[in-house]
Amino acid sequence: MALVVCKFGGTSVATPKRIINVAKRLVAKHEAGDQLVVVVSAMGKTTDDLMKLALAVNDSPPPREIDMLLSTGEQVSMSILAMAIDALGHQSVSLTGGQVGIVTDSLHRKAKIREIKPARIRKELDEGKIVIVAGFQGITRAGDITTLGRGGSDTTAVAIAAGIKADKCEIYSDVDGVYTTDPRVVPCAKKLAVISYDEMLELAASGAGVLQMRAVEFARHFGVVIECRSAFTDEPGTIIKEVTDPMESAVISGIAFDKSEAKITIRDVPDRVGVAAQVFGTIAEVASNVDMIVQNISEDHYTDLTFTTPMQDLPRLKPVLEQLIHELGAREYLIDDSVVKISLIGAGMKTNPGIAAKMFQVLAEHDVNISLITTSSIRISVVIEGEDIQRVVKCLHTAFGLDSDKVFEETQLSAEEMKAKMEKGR
């Protein structure tokens, strides 16, 4: 018997039929002896639809009210899934983030988990129930509902797994594991059997959408073993864990890309002590994340500061930039939202020189100009202008020997749906 946390994404619970299939899968695991805590996302595109509803009545809705609204999507999923399990003759209970003791800070829309109080979950498990939890949400000590940001259900699942000391955390989605790059962009991408926390963290931070970065951070900190699996097949997925065997460390594990960041340049900043601290300290106060930073060589005691940040942060960042221009006496700021960040990730980089040189050579051969570069011990990231990202990633994927002989075929059909489709086609 194992204690398992299972998380099902929005595609997995998008329709009543899919919810019933999830319920059958959970009941089978429960009958095999596993104790189950299930974390669910909102059905399909519910979160996006709720956000559109909010914007239809208010161009700038209060963050607290957005959290109150968006949290209802997961509550619908958990209740419907509990009903489906009940129809199969098994006991379950649906609980909100607040009811299971997920305590967060008070930063609405991007709250961070401060504490997990697992007593309620343990009580329900001891009574033989399947516990279903609304993902993506928590509650402040003052009693306000908060949400954890896009992909926050992953963090909910891993945090609960850490809190109850689960044997494993299974993340179910429409992709059957972690690939060397997005298989929808490069169909010959390879599925990885195992990947380390550090490599997965870099992939998530660099734009890979398989797991939320904070979920990987939680897993690494608390030693939670994650398996990314398909909600529509029984194929084994990708295990994310601490990897100590160098035989398991490929030179390059994957290529990630991110089209959701903007490049910002502050022109003619006075080159004096403390300016960088003032700029990025002020930006941090509005909780805007900064990734790549480059400062140009000073000319006549002035320099340019360039950095990247998520485009979703731009509305609250622009007033800060206006303030900084005035306070610093800088000339202007420029925003380029057409850039793409591409990253090579691999633990093997530590012992294999020449990876950066090869990457730059491949890009040069395909007439791709680089505007920013950053590196770590297991990552090289470049920012390029609005290129054909599919072409660029394919070139790098092939150059570093990551291509598979097997071509990825996306499926969002359960075994029963696939069987019905085949019978219909006869």
Side-chain angles (χ1 to χ4, degrees):
M1 181 175 73
L3 175 56
V4 183
V5 176
C6 303
K7 179 261 176 177
F8 288 88
T11 306
S12 313
V13 294
T15 65
K17 181 177 288 188
R18 290 187 180 180
I19 289 176
I20 291 170
N21 287 326
V22 168
K24 290 177 179 178
R25 189 168 198 154
L26 294 170
V27 164
K29 289 173 74 71
H30 198 240
E31 288 178 342
D34 288 345
Q35 289 185 299
L36 300 176
V37 179
V38 185
V39 176
V40 289
S41 298
M43 297 174 65
K45 300 295 184 181
T46 297
T47 301
D48 293 337
D49 292 340
L50 289 172
M51 196 65 213
K52 289 177 185 175
L53 181 62
L55 294 174
V57 299
N58 188 333
D59 291 337
S60 182
R64 180 188 181 278
E65 302 309 323
I66 293 178
D67 279 359
M68 290 291 286
L69 176 66
L70 298 187
S71 65
T72 63
E74 280 70 19
Q75 293 177 38
V76 170
S77 297
M78 72 178 190
S79 300
I80 298 297
L81 180 56
M83 294 174 192
I85 290 172
D86 178 78
L88 296 173
H90 280 247
Q91 284 190 309
S92 66
V93 59
S94 63
L95 301 168
T96 66
Q99 287 174 319
V100 298
I102 299 176
V103 181
T104 75
D105 61 18
S106 57
L107 182 61
H108 288 287
R109 301 199 66 190
K110 293 175 70 173
K112 293 184 178 180
I113 297 173
R114 297 303 187 200
E115 184 182 3
I116 298 282
K117 299 177 180 178
R120 178 70 184 272
I121 293 177
R122 294 190 183 283
K123 172 182 173 294
E124 302 292 353
L125 288 173
D126 289 343
E127 293 177 4
K129 298 175 185 174
I130 298 174
V131 180
I132 307 168
V133 180
F136 178 62
Q137 63 184 255
I139 194 167
T140 68
R141 289 189 170 87
D144 286 328
I145 292 174
T146 54
T147 61
L148 308 180
R150 180 66 71 175
S153 293
D154 291 343
T155 301
T156 301
V158 176
I160 288 174
I164 64 174
K165 295 180 171 54
D167 297 301
K168 186 198 261 188
C169 180
E170 298 177 345
I171 305 290
Y172 292 87
S173 69
D174 56 350
V175 178
D176 61 349
V178 179
Y179 281 74
T180 47
T181 194
D182 187 340
R184 300 177 186 92
V185 172
V186 182
C188 59
K190 293 179 186 176
K191 186 172 77 172
L192 303 172
V194 178
I195 188 170
S196 70
Y197 291 128
D198 287 344
E199 289 171 305
M200 190 65 236
L201 191 58
E202 292 284 12
L203 281 171
S206 300
V210 182
L211 275 174
Q212 191 195 48
M213 184 173 68
R214 284 161 57 193
V216 185
E217 289 175 334
F218 246 106
R220 181 176 64 173
H221 184 73
F222 293 100
V224 176
V225 176
I226 300 175
E227 182 176 7
C228 292
R229 303 186 60 180
S230 169
F232 306 106
T233 72
D234 293 323
E235 292 292 318
T238 300
I239 300 292
I240 302 164
K241 64 177 184 177
E242 190 66 47
V243 175
T244 56
D245 184 355
M247 292 292 289
E248 293 183 291
S249 297
V251 176
I252 301 296
S253 295
I255 302 174
F257 58 91
D258 191 350
K259 297 185 286 186
S260 68
E261 293 195 354
K263 182 177 72 172
I264 297 175
T265 300
I266 305 178
R267 302 290 307 279
D268 291 348
V269 178
D271 188 11
R272 60 174 182 263
V273 174
V275 167
Q278 181 180 351
V279 170
F280 296 109
T282 304
I283 290 171
E285 288 175 3
V286 294
S288 180
N289 293 320
V290 172
D291 184 14
M292 307 171 78
I293 302 173
V294 172
Q295 179 173 324
N296 290 347
I297 296 173
S298 177
E299 292 186 8
D300 298 324
H301 307 293
Y302 287 90
T303 186
D304 292 347
L305 275 176
T306 300
F307 59 93
T308 58
T309 191
M311 280 192 277
Q312 66 179 16
D313 290 352
L314 290 179
R316 65 173 180 272
L317 191 56
K318 287 179 180 178
V320 172
L321 293 171
E322 296 284 358
Q323 172 192 332
L324 284 168
I325 294 296
H326 176 72
E327 291 178 354
L328 296 171
R331 175 158 46 116
E332 62 181 347
Y333 70 88
L334 305 173
I335 296 176
D336 184 352
D337 58 6
S338 66
V339 298
V340 179
K341 180 176 72 175
I342 300 177
S343 303
L344 293 185
I345 292 97
M349 287 186 190
K350 297 177 183 178
T351 54
N352 287 270
I355 301 299
K358 183 175 181 179
M359 180 185 191
F360 302 153
Q361 182 62 37
V362 171
L363 294 176
E365 289 172 355
H366 290 85
D367 298 319
V368 178
N369 188 44
I370 300 170
S371 59
L372 294 174
I373 302 169
T374 61
T375 64
S376 73
S377 61
I378 65 170
R379 174 182 56 82
I380 303 167
S381 294
V382 299
V383 168
I384 64 175
E385 299 303 324
E387 300 280 347
D388 178 356
I389 188 62
Q390 186 167 356
R391 177 181 68 89
V392 176
V393 174
K394 278 184 175 180
C395 292
L396 289 169
H397 199 269
T398 299
F400 283 94
L402 299 177
D403 290 353
S404 169
D405 294 334
K406 184 178 178 181
V407 176
F408 172 79
E409 293 183 9
E410 184 175 7
T411 177
Q412 294 184 3
L413 301 178
S414 67
E416 290 186 7
E417 288 173 319
M418 184 66 77
K419 182 179 178 182
K421 181 179 179 180
M422 291 175 66
E423 289 177 349
K424 185 177 179 179
R426 286 174 181 169

Short mmCIF file of all heavy atoms in Angstrom, two decimals, residues 317-362:
data_model
loop_
_atom_site.label_atom_id
_atom_site.label_comp_id
_atom_site.label_asym_id
_atom_site.label_seq_id
_atom_site.Cartn_x
_atom_site.Cartn_y
_atom_site.Cartn_z
N LEU A 317 4.52 47.08 -14.14
CA LEU A 317 5.92 47.50 -14.21
C LEU A 317 6.09 48.85 -14.90
O LEU A 317 7.00 49.62 -14.56
CB LEU A 317 6.72 46.43 -14.95
CG LEU A 317 8.24 46.53 -14.92
CD1 LEU A 317 8.76 46.57 -13.50
CD2 LEU A 317 8.86 45.36 -15.68
N LYS A 318 5.23 49.18 -15.85
CA LYS A 318 5.39 50.43 -16.60
C LYS A 318 5.39 51.68 -15.72
O LYS A 318 6.24 52.56 -15.89
CB LYS A 318 4.32 50.52 -17.69
CG LYS A 318 4.56 49.57 -18.86
CD LYS A 318 3.46 49.69 -19.92
CE LYS A 318 3.71 48.73 -21.07
NZ LYS A 318 2.63 48.78 -22.09
N PRO A 319 4.46 51.80 -14.75
CA PRO A 319 4.52 52.98 -13.88
C PRO A 319 5.82 53.06 -13.08
O PRO A 319 6.34 54.16 -12.83
CB PRO A 319 3.31 52.79 -12.94
CG PRO A 319 2.39 51.87 -13.67
CD PRO A 319 3.28 50.97 -14.45
N VAL A 320 6.36 51.89 -12.71
CA VAL A 320 7.63 51.85 -11.98
C VAL A 320 8.77 52.34 -12.86
O VAL A 320 9.66 53.08 -12.42
CB VAL A 320 7.90 50.42 -11.45
CG1 VAL A 320 9.30 50.33 -10.86
CG2 VAL A 320 6.86 50.02 -10.42
N LEU A 321 8.75 51.93 -14.13
CA LEU A 321 9.79 52.37 -15.06
C LEU A 321 9.72 53.88 -15.28
O LEU A 321 10.75 54.56 -15.35
CB LEU A 321 9.65 51.63 -16.39
CG LEU A 321 9.94 50.12 -16.34
CD1 LEU A 321 9.55 49.45 -17.66
CD2 LEU A 321 11.41 49.85 -16.04
N GLU A 322 8.51 54.42 -15.39
CA GLU A 322 8.35 55.87 -15.53
C GLU A 322 8.94 56.59 -14.32
O GLU A 322 9.64 57.61 -14.45
CB GLU A 322 6.86 56.22 -15.67
CG GLU A 322 6.19 55.68 -16.91
CD GLU A 322 6.55 56.47 -18.16
OE1 GLU A 322 7.29 57.47 -18.05
OE2 GLU A 322 6.10 56.08 -19.26
N GLN A 323 8.67 56.03 -13.14
CA GLN A 323 9.20 56.60 -11.90
C GLN A 323 10.72 56.57 -11.89
O GLN A 323 11.38 57.55 -11.53
CB GLN A 323 8.64 55.83 -10.70
CG GLN A 323 9.24 56.20 -9.36
CD GLN A 323 8.85 55.21 -8.27
OE1 GLN A 323 7.79 54.58 -8.34
NE2 GLN A 323 9.70 55.05 -7.27
N LEU A 324 11.29 55.45 -12.31
CA LEU A 324 12.75 55.30 -12.31
C LEU A 324 13.41 56.26 -13.30
O LEU A 324 14.48 56.83 -13.00
CB LEU A 324 13.12 53.85 -12.63
CG LEU A 324 12.92 52.84 -11.49
CD1 LEU A 324 13.04 51.41 -12.02
CD2 LEU A 324 13.94 53.08 -10.38
N ILE A 325 12.81 56.42 -14.47
CA ILE A 325 13.37 57.35 -15.46
C ILE A 325 13.48 58.75 -14.85
O ILE A 325 14.49 59.45 -14.99
CB ILE A 325 12.49 57.39 -16.73
CG1 ILE A 325 12.53 56.04 -17.46
CG2 ILE A 325 12.92 58.52 -17.66
CD1 ILE A 325 13.88 55.68 -18.00
N HIS A 326 12.43 59.14 -14.14
CA HIS A 326 12.40 60.47 -13.52
C HIS A 326 13.43 60.57 -12.40
O HIS A 326 14.19 61.55 -12.32
CB HIS A 326 11.00 60.76 -12.99
CG HIS A 326 10.88 62.06 -12.24
ND1 HIS A 326 10.92 63.28 -12.87
CD2 HIS A 326 10.76 62.30 -10.90
CE1 HIS A 326 10.82 64.24 -11.96
NE2 HIS A 326 10.72 63.67 -10.76
N GLU A 327 13.47 59.56 -11.52
CA GLU A 327 14.36 59.61 -10.36
C GLU A 327 15.84 59.53 -10.75
O GLU A 327 16.69 60.18 -10.14
CB GLU A 327 14.02 58.47 -9.39
CG GLU A 327 12.67 58.64 -8.70
CD GLU A 327 12.35 57.46 -7.79
OE1 GLU A 327 13.12 56.48 -7.80
OE2 GLU A 327 11.32 57.53 -7.08
N LEU A 328 16.15 58.73 -11.75
CA LEU A 328 17.55 58.52 -12.15
C LEU A 328 18.05 59.58 -13.12
O LEU A 328 19.26 59.76 -13.26
CB LEU A 328 17.70 57.14 -12.80
CG LEU A 328 17.43 55.92 -11.93
CD1 LEU A 328 17.41 54.66 -12.78
CD2 LEU A 328 18.47 55.80 -10.82
N GLY A 329 17.12 60.23 -13.79
CA GLY A 329 17.55 61.14 -14.85
C GLY A 329 17.96 60.41 -16.10
O GLY A 329 18.75 60.92 -16.91
N ALA A 330 17.45 59.19 -16.29
CA ALA A 330 17.75 58.41 -17.49
C ALA A 330 16.96 58.98 -18.68
O ALA A 330 16.01 59.76 -18.51
CB ALA A 330 17.40 56.94 -17.26
N ARG A 331 17.36 58.57 -19.89
CA ARG A 331 16.72 59.15 -21.08
C ARG A 331 15.33 58.56 -21.34
O ARG A 331 14.36 59.28 -21.54
CB ARG A 331 17.61 58.95 -22.31
CG ARG A 331 16.96 59.41 -23.60
CD ARG A 331 17.92 59.74 -24.73
NE ARG A 331 18.95 58.76 -24.94
CZ ARG A 331 19.09 58.03 -26.05
NH1 ARG A 331 18.20 58.13 -27.02
NH2 ARG A 331 20.10 57.20 -26.18
N GLU A 332 15.24 57.21 -21.37
CA GLU A 332 13.97 56.56 -21.72
C GLU A 332 14.08 55.07 -21.42
O GLU A 332 15.13 54.56 -21.07
CB GLU A 332 13.70 56.73 -23.22
CG GLU A 332 14.76 56.09 -24.10
CD GLU A 332 14.50 56.28 -25.58
OE1 GLU A 332 13.39 56.70 -25.95
OE2 GLU A 332 15.43 56.00 -26.38
N TYR A 333 12.94 54.38 -21.54
CA TYR A 333 12.98 52.93 -21.50
C TYR A 333 12.29 52.38 -22.75
O TYR A 333 11.36 53.00 -23.29
CB TYR A 333 12.32 52.37 -20.23
CG TYR A 333 10.81 52.53 -20.14
CD1 TYR A 333 9.96 51.57 -20.68
CD2 TYR A 333 10.24 53.63 -19.51
CE1 TYR A 333 8.58 51.70 -20.60
CE2 TYR A 333 8.86 53.77 -19.42
CZ TYR A 333 8.04 52.80 -19.97
OH TYR A 333 6.68 52.93 -19.89
N LEU A 334 12.80 51.26 -23.23
CA LEU A 334 12.27 50.61 -24.42
C LEU A 334 11.80 49.20 -24.09
O LEU A 334 12.47 48.50 -23.32
CB LEU A 334 13.34 50.55 -25.52
CG LEU A 334 13.99 51.87 -25.92
CD1 LEU A 334 15.14 51.62 -26.89
CD2 LEU A 334 12.97 52.82 -26.53
N ILE A 335 10.68 48.79 -24.65
CA ILE A 335 10.14 47.45 -24.42
C ILE A 335 10.07 46.72 -25.75
O ILE A 335 9.48 47.22 -26.72
CB ILE A 335 8.74 47.49 -23.77
CG1 ILE A 335 8.82 48.12 -22.38
CG2 ILE A 335 8.15 46.08 -23.68
CD1 ILE A 335 7.46 48.29 -21.71
N ASP A 336 10.66 45.54 -25.81
CA ASP A 336 10.59 44.68 -27.00
C ASP A 336 9.91 43.38 -26.59
O ASP A 336 10.46 42.57 -25.86
CB ASP A 336 12.00 44.40 -27.52
CG ASP A 336 12.00 43.58 -28.82
OD1 ASP A 336 10.91 43.11 -29.22
OD2 ASP A 336 13.08 43.40 -29.40
N ASP A 337 8.67 43.19 -27.05
CA ASP A 337 7.91 42.00 -26.66
C ASP A 337 7.90 40.94 -27.77
O ASP A 337 7.08 40.01 -27.75
CB ASP A 337 6.48 42.35 -26.27
CG ASP A 337 5.72 43.06 -27.39
OD1 ASP A 337 6.25 43.17 -28.51
OD2 ASP A 337 4.57 43.49 -27.14
N SER A 338 8.83 41.06 -28.72
CA SER A 338 8.88 40.08 -29.82
C SER A 338 10.04 39.09 -29.65
O SER A 338 10.31 38.31 -30.56
CB SER A 338 9.01 40.81 -31.15
OG SER A 338 10.27 41.48 -31.24
N VAL A 339 10.72 39.13 -28.51
CA VAL A 339 11.90 38.28 -28.33
C VAL A 339 11.51 36.88 -27.88
O VAL A 339 10.40 36.64 -27.39
CB VAL A 339 12.88 38.90 -27.31
CG1 VAL A 339 13.37 40.25 -27.79
CG2 VAL A 339 12.23 39.03 -25.93
N VAL A 340 12.46 35.96 -28.04
CA VAL A 340 12.30 34.58 -27.58
C VAL A 340 13.56 34.18 -26.82
O VAL A 340 14.67 34.48 -27.26
CB VAL A 340 12.09 33.61 -28.76
CG1 VAL A 340 11.94 32.17 -28.25
CG2 VAL A 340 10.87 34.01 -29.58
N LYS A 341 13.37 33.54 -25.68
CA LYS A 341 14.51 33.00 -24.93
C LYS A 341 14.63 31.51 -25.20
O LYS A 341 13.65 30.77 -25.09
CB LYS A 341 14.33 33.23 -23.43
CG LYS A 341 15.50 32.70 -22.59
CD LYS A 341 15.34 33.04 -21.11
CE LYS A 341 14.25 32.21 -20.46
NZ LYS A 341 14.16 32.44 -19.01
N ILE A 342 15.82 31.07 -25.59
CA ILE A 342 16.08 29.65 -25.84
C ILE A 342 17.16 29.19 -24.87
O ILE A 342 18.18 29.87 -24.70
CB ILE A 342 16.54 29.40 -27.28
CG1 ILE A 342 15.47 29.86 -28.26
CG2 ILE A 342 16.86 27.92 -27.50
CD1 ILE A 342 15.86 29.70 -29.71
N SER A 343 16.95 28.04 -24.24
CA SER A 343 17.90 27.56 -23.23
C SER A 343 18.27 26.10 -23.48
O SER A 343 17.40 25.26 -23.75
CB SER A 343 17.29 27.67 -21.82
OG SER A 343 16.90 29.00 -21.53
N LEU A 344 19.57 25.81 -23.39
CA LEU A 344 20.06 24.44 -23.34
C LEU A 344 20.28 24.07 -21.88
O LEU A 344 20.90 24.85 -21.14
CB LEU A 344 21.39 24.30 -24.07
CG LEU A 344 21.46 24.49 -25.58
CD1 LEU A 344 22.88 24.17 -26.06
CD2 LEU A 344 20.46 23.60 -26.29
N ILE A 345 19.78 22.90 -21.48
CA ILE A 345 19.91 22.47 -20.08
C ILE A 345 20.51 21.08 -20.05
O ILE A 345 20.10 20.19 -20.81
CB ILE A 345 18.54 22.47 -19.36
CG1 ILE A 345 18.02 23.90 -19.17
CG2 ILE A 345 18.66 21.81 -17.99
CD1 ILE A 345 17.05 24.34 -20.19
N GLY A 346 21.47 20.86 -19.15
CA GLY A 346 22.05 19.53 -18.99
C GLY A 346 23.12 19.50 -17.92
O GLY A 346 24.03 20.34 -17.92
N ALA A 347 23.02 18.54 -17.00
CA ALA A 347 24.02 18.41 -15.95
C ALA A 347 25.38 18.07 -16.53
O ALA A 347 26.42 18.36 -15.92
CB ALA A 347 23.58 17.34 -14.94
N GLY A 348 25.40 17.46 -17.71
CA GLY A 348 26.66 17.07 -18.32
C GLY A 348 27.50 18.24 -18.80
O GLY A 348 28.67 18.09 -19.14
N MET A 349 26.91 19.44 -18.84
CA MET A 349 27.66 20.63 -19.24
C MET A 349 28.85 20.89 -18.31
O MET A 349 29.84 21.47 -18.73
CB MET A 349 26.75 21.86 -19.22
CG MET A 349 25.75 21.94 -20.34
SD MET A 349 24.89 23.53 -20.27
CE MET A 349 23.60 23.24 -21.46
N LYS A 350 28.70 20.47 -17.04
CA LYS A 350 29.74 20.74 -16.06
C LYS A 350 31.08 20.13 -16.47
O LYS A 350 32.14 20.67 -16.16
CB LYS A 350 29.33 20.17 -14.69
CG LYS A 350 28.09 20.80 -14.08
CD LYS A 350 27.74 20.10 -12.78
CE LYS A 350 26.47 20.65 -12.17
NZ LYS A 350 26.10 19.94 -10.91
N THR A 351 31.03 19.01 -17.16
CA THR A 351 32.26 18.28 -17.49
C THR A 351 32.51 18.19 -18.99
O THR A 351 33.39 17.46 -19.42
CB THR A 351 32.21 16.86 -16.89
OG1 THR A 351 31.01 16.21 -17.33
CG2 THR A 351 32.23 16.91 -15.36
N ASN A 352 31.72 18.92 -19.78
CA ASN A 352 31.88 18.87 -21.23
C ASN A 352 32.03 20.29 -21.78
O ASN A 352 31.04 20.98 -22.02
CB ASN A 352 30.68 18.18 -21.89
CG ASN A 352 30.66 16.69 -21.68
OD1 ASN A 352 31.21 15.93 -22.45
ND2 ASN A 352 30.03 16.27 -20.57
N PRO A 353 33.28 20.75 -21.99
CA PRO A 353 33.49 22.11 -22.51
C PRO A 353 33.06 22.21 -23.97
O PRO A 353 32.95 21.21 -24.68
CB PRO A 353 35.00 22.30 -22.37
CG PRO A 353 35.56 20.92 -22.39
CD PRO A 353 34.55 20.05 -21.72
N GLY A 354 32.79 23.42 -24.40
CA GLY A 354 32.49 23.66 -25.80
C GLY A 354 31.02 23.66 -26.15
O GLY A 354 30.66 23.86 -27.32
N ILE A 355 30.13 23.45 -25.17
CA ILE A 355 28.69 23.43 -25.46
C ILE A 355 28.22 24.80 -25.94
O ILE A 355 27.49 24.91 -26.93
CB ILE A 355 27.88 22.98 -24.21
CG1 ILE A 355 28.31 21.59 -23.75
CG2 ILE A 355 26.39 23.01 -24.52
CD1 ILE A 355 28.09 20.51 -24.76
N ALA A 356 28.65 25.85 -25.23
CA ALA A 356 28.23 27.20 -25.62
C ALA A 356 28.73 27.53 -27.02
O ALA A 356 27.97 28.07 -27.85
CB ALA A 356 28.76 28.22 -24.61
N ALA A 357 29.99 27.20 -27.30
CA ALA A 357 30.55 27.50 -28.61
C ALA A 357 29.77 26.80 -29.72
O ALA A 357 29.50 27.38 -30.78
CB ALA A 357 32.02 27.08 -28.65
N LYS A 358 29.39 25.55 -29.47
CA LYS A 358 28.63 24.80 -30.47
C LYS A 358 27.25 25.41 -30.68
O LYS A 358 26.78 25.53 -31.82
CB LYS A 358 28.50 23.34 -30.04
CG LYS A 358 27.78 22.46 -31.06
CD LYS A 358 27.79 20.99 -30.64
CE LYS A 358 27.09 20.12 -31.66
NZ LYS A 358 27.11 18.68 -31.27
N MET A 359 26.61 25.82 -29.58
CA MET A 359 25.29 26.45 -29.69
C MET A 359 25.37 27.73 -30.53
O MET A 359 24.57 27.93 -31.45
CB MET A 359 24.75 26.78 -28.30
CG MET A 359 23.38 27.44 -28.29
SD MET A 359 22.87 27.92 -26.62
CE MET A 359 21.15 28.34 -26.89
N PHE A 360 26.37 28.58 -30.23
CA PHE A 360 26.50 29.83 -30.95
C PHE A 360 26.83 29.59 -32.43
O PHE A 360 26.36 30.32 -33.31
CB PHE A 360 27.59 30.71 -30.32
CG PHE A 360 27.34 31.02 -28.86
CD1 PHE A 360 28.40 31.27 -28.00
CD2 PHE A 360 26.06 31.04 -28.34
CE1 PHE A 360 28.19 31.55 -26.66
CE2 PHE A 360 25.83 31.31 -26.99
CZ PHE A 360 26.90 31.57 -26.15
N GLN A 361 27.62 28.55 -32.70
CA GLN A 361 27.97 28.22 -34.08
C GLN A 361 26.75 27.79 -34.87
O GLN A 361 26.54 28.22 -36.02
CB GLN A 361 29.03 27.11 -34.10
CG GLN A 361 29.51 26.72 -35.49
CD GLN A 361 30.20 27.85 -36.23
OE1 GLN A 361 30.92 28.64 -35.62
NE2 GLN A 361 29.98 27.93 -37.54
N VAL A 362 25.91 26.94 -34.25
CA VAL A 362 24.68 26.48 -34.92
C VAL A 362 23.78 27.66 -35.23
O VAL A 362 23.22 27.78 -36.34
CB VAL A 362 23.95 25.43 -34.04
CG1 VAL A 362 22.57 25.12 -34.63
CG2 VAL A 362 24.77 24.16 -33.93
#
